[in-house]
Amino acid sequence: MAKKAKRAAPRRRKKKASARRWISGRFLAKVLAVGLVAMAAGLIYLDALVQERFDSHVWQLPARVYARPVELYPGRVLSRADMLKMLELMRYRQAPGAPTPGSYSVNGNRLIIHTRGFRDSDGGEPSQRLNLRLGGGEIASLQAGQGGSLARLEPMQIGSIHPGHSEDRVYVPLDRVPPLMVKMLLATEDQDFYEHHGVSLRGLARAMLANIKAGRLVQGGSTLTQQLVKNFWLTQDRTLLRKLVELPMAVLLELHYSKEQILEAYINEVYLGQDGSRSIHGMGLGAQFYFGRPLEELEPHQLATLVGLLKGPSWYDPRRRPERSLKRRNTVLQVARQQGALSEEELHRFSKRGLEVVPRGESPLYAFPAFIDLVRRQLARDYPPEVLGVDGLRIHSTLDVLAQLAAEKALRDHLENKDPGGKDHLNGAVVVVAPTQGDVLAVVSNRRSREHGFNRALDAVRPIGSLVKPAVVLAALEQPEKYSLATIVNDEPLSVPLRNNEPWQPKNFDNKSLGPMPIHDVLVRSRNQALARLGMEVGLSKVAETLKTLGVQRDIPLYPSILLGSLGLTPFEVAMMYQPLATGGFSTPLRSITDVLDKDGQPIARYPITTEEVLPQEPVFVLQQAMQDVVDQGTGRGVRAKLPASVKVAGKTGTSDNFRDAWFAGFSANHLAVVWVGRDDNSPAGVSGSSGAVPVWAQLMASLPQRSLSQKPPAGVEWVWMDPSGTLVSGEGCDGAHRYPMLTASIPEEADRCGSRDGDKKKGVLQWFKGWFD
């Protein structure tokens, strides 16, 4: 029995082992089946993910903002220096004969410009050669390609708006990518691109061998397809899990899409560096960010620099690490030569060139931050952030590049003269407007105009000082039965009692009182006491009503001090207020955008000009004439040092208490400009409107083509000689007589004896005849 038991034990053990093996096999089979199902499900999910993202091409394309095309024509005010500065900003390159679009040549005052063609809502312009001759501070002659004498340079891209995310890119279709770039890209990143199916075993083996030799990870062996998968769907982390996901996704991508589609997606997706919080994606934006030019215009050594960045945008940053970047670029050129993309002569020539990257911040994309801020604010009223962030809108703005450059230079030159190096912390702002259209042509908010930060033009609320005086005079002129420019006001001390406060007692700039004077002289000579007296007679509520009619949207406290400009406005708000004065009483909302196109160039929104007559033309014309005398005879006469007497302009100086703020606001028929100069901490700046703001305004306006204000009075306004009392019609040559534009209702019935004999006016003649029978 003992022996039988011993024999039975091994059989039981064998049966148990066999059972365990059977159970283990079944378990493994189940695990394998579950694994295969999970893998299949995973592949199905990955396949759907690949197709969904690639088919939708959800690249985050920000809204792009463009300046208005630059118009060139004979007679346009344009110096040689400004012309060359503009071409530099637009990244035209100098080349003999201007052989390709985006190039120019210069010989003294003669230029040949090969323009870039463009499309806009007006149809656009073809690429063409322009022959220009400059002389006397203007375009002396211009001959366009088709024999015309008018041409437009392409709208300059001046910014991009991408709220809600930090990605930026300029989409470039594959047929616009330089073929040499494609050859360089494949030569350095994926020589087997057209042979593999997403994964290159040869590349992986080559990378593994290199890593073993180096004793560390030096090569990844990734194909372009794998790199695109990593950029499109995965993270940059070098982990085994990411690699295991990356490989099947690359194969799936190749199964569904052509090599050309994958290559185009890669070129537009690849990461090329960082600009603060903004990440630079795609070769199109990379070309602009590093070279300030479209990708199509880059030369071989510049294309090689971009391709070289793919190995490590931070490590090979051409601005921060130029030696490293140069070495990498030359490596790309050498590989391109080995693959037959370059000749030996080209390799030698382009290897000798410098990196030629533009300094950070000098691209037009960053040139005009104050104006872009204005565009952002207008867009925020009309479009939700998600539309601006992904739809690739093309926004055509009202910015005039030449007006912007002129405004920047005028402010910078003056402040450097007044406050060299900025040791006194003087700063300023300028707003330039086309008054009839309401187009904002230029916005400057800093003497260092490229700096981002506080926008003084839009946000610096400062007392406007004597800029308010035209509104006070206008309020009086709207009562023609009581007031005209000839009406006498006493320039003497006055005291206005205030509730629970000491009385208001304004003083003149020179602390003198000049006695009785006509309203015309009160405005021209900016006499505070007389103006305050006039304002109190007209009534604070009437003055406030006039300010509201002119476009002031802030609350206006009915204190006597508003008559002398205690009211705080921004430079932009002052431009809004002066716009109806410049247009003869017509209000047009100021706009920074003309139209918005979708990414395919189709219009989706327009910002038309809307005009409303808010003031009668007659009193506005009369006021304009007095404001012209401010420039010709009064506190703004410094303008005449820059502008010829034949150009009729009008304006008003402004200075706040203790010389804290210096202002000048003025206009011609086609330009309205507002200048503010002061200190950010509101401490005394030591400059008046005449000394601190007029020189900026005069230099700016002299740099732009100007049309004179009309001197033809509207119906209901006549030029009349008035006696010194302002109550009698007089005549030319009569003692103390002065000629004023007057509303018909303001012209007195009676004339002095001199005026009667002179017969200057029909009413004077009639009075003369009446005198025979008195």
Side-chain angles (χ1 to χ4, degrees):
M1 290 292 297
K3 287 183 180 180
K4 276 187 179 183
K6 286 181 181 179
R7 280 197 299 269
R11 281 199 294 268
R12 284 196 297 269
R13 283 197 295 269
K14 286 179 182 178
K15 286 181 180 179
K16 288 180 181 180
S18 176
R20 280 197 299 269
R21 284 194 299 271
W22 182 78
I23 293 171
S24 177
R26 287 189 63 188
F27 177 75
L28 288 175
K30 288 181 179 180
V31 169
L32 182 60
V34 170
L36 289 172
V37 170
M39 186 180 298
L43 287 173
I44 292 171
Y45 169 76
L46 291 178
D47 188 61
L49 184 65
V50 165
Q51 293 187 70
E52 186 276 330
R53 175 68 191 274
F54 202 93
D55 286 342
S56 63
H57 275 200
V58 185
W59 288 314
Q60 293 178 316
L61 299 175
R64 304 211 168 275
V65 185
Y66 296 85
R68 60 173 52 186
V70 178
E71 292 187 347
L72 303 175
Y73 51 86
R76 168 152 198 170
V77 175
L78 184 60
S79 69
R80 181 180 184 274
D82 286 344
M83 182 79 228
L84 295 177
K85 173 69 175 175
M86 182 180 65
L87 290 174
E88 178 189 359
L89 188 62
M90 298 177 77
R91 297 302 166 194
Y92 274 67
R93 63 190 181 281
Q94 192 169 351
T100 56
S103 63
Y104 75 98
S105 64
V106 58
N107 182 12
N109 284 331
R110 294 184 178 275
L111 286 87
I112 300 174
I113 303 173
H114 199 147
T115 67
R116 302 176 177 120
F118 66 92
R119 289 176 56 200
D120 65 3
S121 53
D122 293 326
E125 298 274 342
S127 175
Q128 59 181 329
R129 268 189 164 87
L130 308 179
N131 285 275
L132 286 88
R133 182 171 62 83
L134 301 167
E138 63 180 33
I139 298 176
S141 65
L142 184 150
Q143 183 178 359
Q146 303 300 320
S149 58
L150 172 65
R152 294 189 300 163
L153 299 184
E154 74 278 5
M156 182 192 304
Q157 186 184 336
I158 57 174
S160 57
I161 298 175
H162 37 89
H165 65 85
S166 59
E167 286 188 17
D168 199 359
R169 62 174 49 77
V170 173
Y171 173 71
V172 183
L174 188 60
D175 60 7
R176 282 177 42 205
V177 176
L180 180 58
M181 163 158 274
V182 175
K183 293 177 182 178
M184 287 180 173
L185 180 62
L186 299 183
T188 55
E189 294 294 318
D190 191 353
Q191 295 178 14
D192 303 328
F193 178 70
Y194 284 104
E195 281 74 46
H196 64 66
H197 299 286
V199 178
S200 172
L201 296 178
R202 183 165 51 183
L204 287 172
R206 188 167 53 240
M208 185 179 298
L209 184 60
N211 293 335
I212 292 172
K213 286 182 178 179
R216 57 189 176 87
L217 189 64
V218 294
Q219 285 188 26
S222 295
T223 64
L224 284 186
T225 313
Q226 288 174 262
Q227 293 180 42
L228 179 60
V229 166
K230 180 175 62 178
N231 289 331
F232 241 9
W233 292 278
L234 305 177
T235 68
Q236 300 295 315
D237 300 333
R238 291 188 174 186
T239 63
L240 179 60
L241 178 61
R242 195 215 73 194
K243 203 71 176 176
L244 290 175
V245 174
E246 176 188 299
L247 294 175
M249 289 183 77
V251 175
L252 290 169
L253 191 61
E254 294 261 358
L255 283 174
H256 291 293
Y257 303 100
S258 69
K259 291 289 186 179
E260 287 70 26
Q261 288 175 298
I262 292 170
L263 191 57
E264 180 180 273
Y266 179 89
I267 288 170
N268 283 284
E269 176 62 24
V270 67
Y271 173 70
L272 289 174
Q274 202 71 23
D275 180 29
S277 62
R278 185 179 72 136
S279 55
I280 307 300
H281 285 262
M283 294 294 185
L285 183 60
Q288 291 190 5
F289 180 63
Y290 289 108
F291 302 105
R293 292 193 178 95
L295 182 64
E296 302 95 303
E297 293 182 14
L298 297 192
E299 297 181 77
H301 62 295
Q302 296 167 326
L303 295 173
T305 300
L306 290 181
V307 173
L309 282 167
L310 299 176
K311 194 173 177 67
S314 178
W315 186 255
Y316 294 106
D317 188 322
R319 295 190 181 105
R320 294 189 297 128
R321 298 181 171 93
E323 292 114 0
R324 211 178 274 167
S325 178
L326 188 65
K327 184 177 179 181
R328 175 63 183 164
R329 182 206 71 181
N330 287 344
T331 298
V332 173
L333 289 173
Q334 289 167 1
V335 173
R337 169 69 187 105
Q338 292 167 6
Q339 297 297 312
L342 291 175
S343 68
E344 191 64 37
E345 186 276 330
E346 287 174 323
L347 171 64
H348 179 75
R349 174 156 47 96
F350 290 114
S351 295
K352 297 296 183 183
R353 298 279 290 273
L355 288 171
E356 300 175 9
V357 296
V358 298
R360 184 183 292 273
E362 290 195 12
S363 165
L365 292 175
Y366 314 97
F368 312 121
F371 185 88
I372 290 296
D373 188 19
L374 175 62
V375 173
R376 285 177 185 275
R377 298 184 194 199
Q378 184 168 348
L379 287 171
R381 296 196 303 264
D382 304 332
Y383 295 93
E386 58 270 18
V387 172
L388 296 177
V390 300
D391 278 6
L393 301 181
R394 295 168 58 86
I395 298 156
H396 290 152
S397 79
T398 58
L399 180 86
D400 183 318
V401 175
L402 290 172
Q404 178 74 30
L405 294 176
E408 292 173 359
K409 185 176 188 302
L411 182 65
R412 182 175 61 249
D413 288 353
H414 178 66
L415 291 183
E416 281 302 317
N417 180 54
K418 278 280 183 186
D419 179 21
K423 61 180 183 298
D424 289 334
H425 306 291
L426 279 184
N427 218 315
V430 182
V431 177
V432 185
V433 172
T436 304
Q437 298 83 13
D439 289 350
V440 181
L441 305 179
V443 180
V444 185
S445 73
N446 194 326
R447 66 191 292 172
R448 291 175 289 276
S449 57
R450 302 293 180 262
E451 287 188 4
H452 294 248
F454 181 60
N455 195 329
R456 295 168 183 81
L458 304 184
D459 297 324
V461 180
R462 306 300 288 259
I464 62 174
S466 295
L467 295 189
V468 77
K469 291 178 179 176
V472 178
V473 172
L474 181 62
L477 294 175
E478 288 185 286
Q479 304 175 51
E481 68 285 351
K482 294 179 63 176
Y483 298 102
S484 74
L485 291 182
T487 302
I488 298 300
V489 182
N490 204 4
D491 183 38
E492 293 291 346
L494 77 158
S495 181
V496 179
L498 299 177
R499 189 178 302 171
N500 301 325
N501 282 307
E502 291 190 11
W504 183 61
Q505 297 175 327
K507 302 294 182 185
N508 282 322
F509 179 79
D510 57 4
N511 289 316
K512 296 179 181 179
S513 300
L514 301 182
M517 60 171 52
I519 289 176
H520 172 275
D521 292 2
V522 171
L523 182 63
V524 170
R525 301 173 70 175
S526 203
R527 305 303 294 177
N528 289 345
Q529 292 175 159
L531 196 287
R533 195 177 296 276
L534 174 64
M536 293 305 296
E537 287 181 11
V538 171
L540 294 178
S541 59
K542 175 59 177 172
V543 171
E545 179 186 332
T546 300
L547 287 168
K548 289 288 187 182
T549 301
L550 287 171
V552 174
Q553 297 175 358
R554 294 180 182 272
D555 291 335
I556 303 173
L558 296 182
Y559 299 135
S561 58
I562 67 168
L563 300 172
L564 299 182
S566 63
L567 177 67
L569 298 177
T570 67
F572 190 81
E573 289 173 315
V574 171
M576 292 171 58
M577 171 181 144
Y578 267 63
Q579 191 257 350
L581 301 181
T583 59
F586 293 87
S587 176
T588 301
L590 302 188
R591 62 176 188 169
S592 60
I593 302 169
T594 58
D595 51 45
V596 178
L597 312 181
D598 64 20
K599 63 178 181 295
D600 299 318
Q602 298 302 311
I604 60 174
R606 292 186 182 275
Y607 291 76
I609 298 170
T610 57
T611 301
E612 177 188 4
E613 186 173 9
V614 295
L615 290 163
Q617 296 180 52
E618 298 85 358
V620 177
F621 177 85
V622 170
L623 178 63
Q624 273 192 9
Q625 295 298 312
M627 294 175 71
Q628 288 181 47
D629 289 341
V630 170
V631 172
D632 292 338
Q633 310 162 19
T635 55
R637 59 186 176 274
V639 167
R640 286 300 166 208
K642 294 285 186 180
L643 285 176
S646 60
V647 178
K648 298 298 182 182
V649 296
K652 186 68 189 77
T653 54
T655 309
S656 65
D657 289 345
N658 298 316
F659 301 95
R660 286 184 169 87
D661 304 279
W663 292 90
F664 190 80
F667 47 86
S668 65
N670 59 326
H671 289 109
L672 160 64
V674 176
V675 176
W676 169 82
V677 171
R679 288 178 174 163
D680 291 334
D681 63 3
N682 201 31
S683 62
V687 289
S688 66
S690 298
S691 65
V694 166
V696 179
W697 191 92
Q699 179 179 328
L700 161 63
M701 296 292 272
S703 302
L704 301 175
Q706 302 297 344
R707 296 200 311 270
S708 289
L709 292 168
S710 173
Q711 303 302 296
K712 181 181 179 180
V717 175
E718 300 179 43
W719 285 92
V720 182
W721 287 94
M722 294 292 293
D723 81 330
S725 73
T727 60
L728 299 173
V729 173
S730 188
E732 185 175 7
C734 293
D735 218 11
H738 194 283
R739 190 169 181 253
Y740 300 100
M742 298 180 68
L743 274 69
T744 304
S746 298
I747 302 173
E749 290 289 335
E750 299 182 351
D752 64 9
R753 287 188 175 276
C754 179
S756 297
R757 289 192 301 273
D758 183 82
D760 179 69
K761 285 286 169 195
K762 291 180 181 179
K763 292 182 180 179
V765 173
L766 180 61
Q767 186 66 27
W768 178 67
F769 274 108
K770 285 182 178 179
W772 282 89
F773 302 99
D774 287 344

